[in-house]
Amino acid sequence: MPLSLLLLAALASLIIALGVGSAQISPAQIWDVALGHIGQGGGDALARTMVMELRLPRALSAFAVGGLLAVAGALMQVLLRNPLADPYVLGLSGGASIGALAAMLGGLGGLAISGSAFGGALFSTFLVFGLAHGSGSWTPSRLLLTGVVVAAGWGAVITLMLALSPAERLPGMLYWLMGDLSYARTPWPPLLLLLATCVVLIPLGRSLNVLARGPQQAAALGVAVRPLEWCIYVAASLLTAAAVTTAGSIGFVGLVVPHMLRLLLGNDQRLILPACALAGGTLLVLADTLARTMIAPEQLPVGVITALLGVPTFLFLLYRSR
């Protein structure tokens, strides 16, 4: 039942994203366009162009990126047993951004940018966990502090890269770093990755539930802790890299969505992970719709909207976990 409601909310958010903009398109027009696309109707040519070529790819890309970040956040929170864990806060997004920017400045494109972003996110993950572990075991608070420091360090490296970049590339790079879906025109790769990740991880839901209680309890109950942790490392890095490659660095989706869903649905990862995919996608679709209509015809970076939502939530969670 909760997943059915979230699915309806996701469909409603997509309809809102398709209809709202500089030119309003009614649900009836959207329906006509959909029928025309499958060869059973017509629809206005302008509405068809706006929906199928402009708004639909952007809305689907926003849904995919939001779902990827929310699922990555849920996985990191299981691994750390800390509701403050998030790819943005822990520096994964910063590492992926550096990898993607380095590939862009090197004149590479396509899969090379995605691969560089994945490498940067994975390196950042190992760096944070390695520094937090030190010569003893890490604690959630030490890991969170290490992640914040590493994220700040990545921010400094990004600033240096921008300072050394050609002036004509700076505006686009800056806007992309703040989270931008204006040029997201190929939503299918991140959507397929989101679907494949949920299909793979849902059968592991019971093991994730046990791991959330602690590695010692998980090992005592027969869970292969180390392979499962490696699976989480790689999956979270891959999801973050795909999101950053598609839309730049967007923060706090992976923090807000899993936490709110756990308050509503409990801690069963078999339910939380698909719910995160739907709710995270819905949140980012609505945030992107707000970003492109708030001061229309100008557009805000969608990362600004998610930060306005995420920063108060982060401070509230930090206050509660004193």
Side-chain angles (χ1 to χ4, degrees), residues 11 14 44 88 135 151-152 167 187 227 253 266 287 308:
L11 293 175
L14 289 174
D44 180 73
Y88 187 81
S135 58
V253 175
L308 290 175

Side-chain angles (χ1 to χ4, degrees), residues 4-312:
S4 299
L5 294 176
L6 288 173
L7 180 59
L8 290 176
L11 293 175
S13 69
L14 289 174
I15 292 173
I16 292 172
L18 295 180
V20 176
S22 56
Q24 304 295 322
I25 300 176
S26 68
Q29 289 177 299
I30 295 174
W31 178 250
D32 288 339
V33 169
L35 291 178
H37 188 66
I38 62 177
Q40 297 183 11
D44 180 73
L46 178 59
R48 187 163 57 250
T49 300
M50 292 183 64
V51 169
M52 301 306 301
E53 297 182 15
L54 298 178
R55 294 183 184 176
L56 183 60
R58 178 166 178 164
L60 291 177
S61 297
F63 183 86
V65 169
L68 292 171
L69 291 174
V71 173
L75 291 174
M76 297 303 293
Q77 289 168 18
V78 168
L79 183 65
L80 273 63
R81 300 177 297 283
N82 191 327
L84 294 173
D86 166 70
Y88 187 81
V89 174
L90 291 177
L92 272 71
S93 293
S97 297
I98 287 177
L101 283 176
M104 291 177 185
L105 291 175
L108 304 177
L111 291 177
I113 294 178
S114 300
S116 297
F118 172 64
L122 195 61
F123 174 76
S124 184
T125 302
F126 292 149
L127 180 63
V128 169
F129 277 83
L131 292 175
H133 191 278
S135 58
S137 62
W138 52 263
T139 62
S141 58
R142 183 195 298 177
L143 191 61
L144 180 66
L145 180 60
T146 304
V148 171
V149 172
V150 169
W154 291 146
V157 175
I158 289 172
T159 301
L160 177 63
M161 294 175 71
L162 292 175
L164 299 176
S165 300
E168 63 273 10
R169 294 190 181 184
L170 278 179
M173 294 171 68
L174 284 171
Y175 217 78
W176 178 80
L177 284 170
M178 290 186 287
D180 182 25
L181 286 155
S182 299
Y183 298 100
R185 294 289 181 265
T186 54
W188 302 116
L191 278 174
L192 291 175
L193 176 61
L194 178 61
L195 177 61
T197 302
C198 290
V199 170
V200 171
L201 290 177
I202 288 175
L204 299 175
R206 178 187 173 278
S207 298
L208 292 173
N209 288 338
V210 178
L211 182 63
R213 298 172 179 264
Q216 293 180 345
Q217 294 91 326
L221 292 172
V223 174
V225 174
R226 186 59 61 185
L228 184 58
E229 288 180 340
W230 275 97
C231 178
I232 294 177
Y233 292 148
V234 174
S237 300
L238 181 59
L239 297 179
T240 303
V244 168
T245 304
T246 303
S249 184
I250 298 175
F252 300 107
V253 175
L255 170 71
V256 174
V257 174
H259 179 71
M260 294 304 176
L261 288 175
R262 275 196 300 272
L263 292 177
L264 296 173
L265 305 178
N267 287 313
D268 188 351
Q269 302 304 315
R270 291 169 293 186
L271 179 60
I272 290 295
L273 290 176
C276 281
L278 292 172
T282 300
L283 174 64
L284 200 60
V285 169
L286 294 176
D288 182 57
T289 303
L290 184 62
R292 63 182 174 82
T293 57
M294 182 180 290
I295 56 172
E298 300 296 326
Q299 297 186 23
L300 291 172
V302 68
V304 173
I305 305 298
T306 59
L308 290 175
L309 295 173
V311 169

